[in-house]
Amino acid sequence: MARVPSNPVLAGNLATTLTQMMRYGINCCAVLVVKLILIVILTLWLPAPLAYLLIHAVTFFLSYLIHARRTFDVGYSWRGIRNYFGAVALFKAFDYLVFNVLLLAFQVTAPVSVFLASCLEAVLKFFVVRRALAGKLGVHAQKGVAEPC
């Protein structure tokens, strides 16, 4: 018989997941607003691709702080940052690629490119981030119990 994860992030009930998704969406919107403000300001002095690369560095830490505490309520730790980085690194690269394709190939303005790339990235990464902030194997790894998929 499979055990239900005792980790609140991976609790598995629909109400918890929907609540986390709602908070995740709201928090992603907050990070998106910061990205949009920064892209408008930084593109006054820097080329848009470089500005957006710098924005990713800033918003990585901002999004970790928001999602760890507000979305999934797991607190902060060096392990959490490491797991979060591992989970979102490819998504950040994907976001940056989509931004540059929209900006350079389709001549979309920088703020619109940020908006579209960030929205696509946010939708794709919810469950990966959720699992990363719970810990790679969750609390069951410490007890020697395999966590159900």
Side-chain angles (χ1 to χ4, degrees):
M1 176 180 254
R3 290 180 49 159
V4 175
S6 60
N7 188 315
V9 176
L10 297 174
N13 74 41
L14 185 59
T16 301
T17 300
L18 291 175
T19 301
Q20 288 173 347
M21 287 178 98
M22 184 179 70
R23 284 185 288 184
Y24 179 80
I26 291 167
N27 294 331
C28 283
C29 287
V31 172
L32 177 59
V33 168
V34 171
K35 283 179 162 183
L36 290 170
I37 291 168
L38 289 175
I39 197 73
V40 169
I41 293 170
L42 291 178
T43 53
L44 296 174
W45 298 283
L46 298 170
L50 178 58
Y52 199 51
L53 191 62
L54 293 173
I55 289 167
H56 269 294
V58 171
T59 59
F60 165 78
F61 290 105
L62 175 63
S63 64
Y64 168 72
L65 295 173
I66 289 174
H67 291 311
R69 179 69 64 181
R70 300 285 179 204
T71 303
F72 302 111
D73 197 29
V74 293
Y76 308 127
S77 69
W78 289 111
R79 179 179 178 212
I81 290 174
R82 186 188 73 231
N83 289 345
Y84 186 74
F85 178 77
V88 302
L90 286 176
F91 289 104
K92 293 293 183 186
F94 173 74
D95 179 320
Y96 188 71
L97 176 68
V98 170
F99 168 81
N100 281 296
V101 167
L102 290 170
L103 183 76
L104 303 173
F106 294 103
Q107 303 296 311
V108 177
T109 64
V112 173
S113 296
V114 167
F115 178 80
L116 295 173
S118 296
C119 288
L120 183 60
E121 176 217 11
V123 169
L124 295 174
K125 76 178 182 182
F126 171 76
F127 289 102
V128 174
V129 169
R130 181 177 187 242
R131 187 156 188 87
L133 288 178
K136 193 160 187 162
L137 295 174
V139 294
H140 297 292
Q142 297 165 359
K143 297 177 184 175
V145 177
E147 190 172 347
C149 295

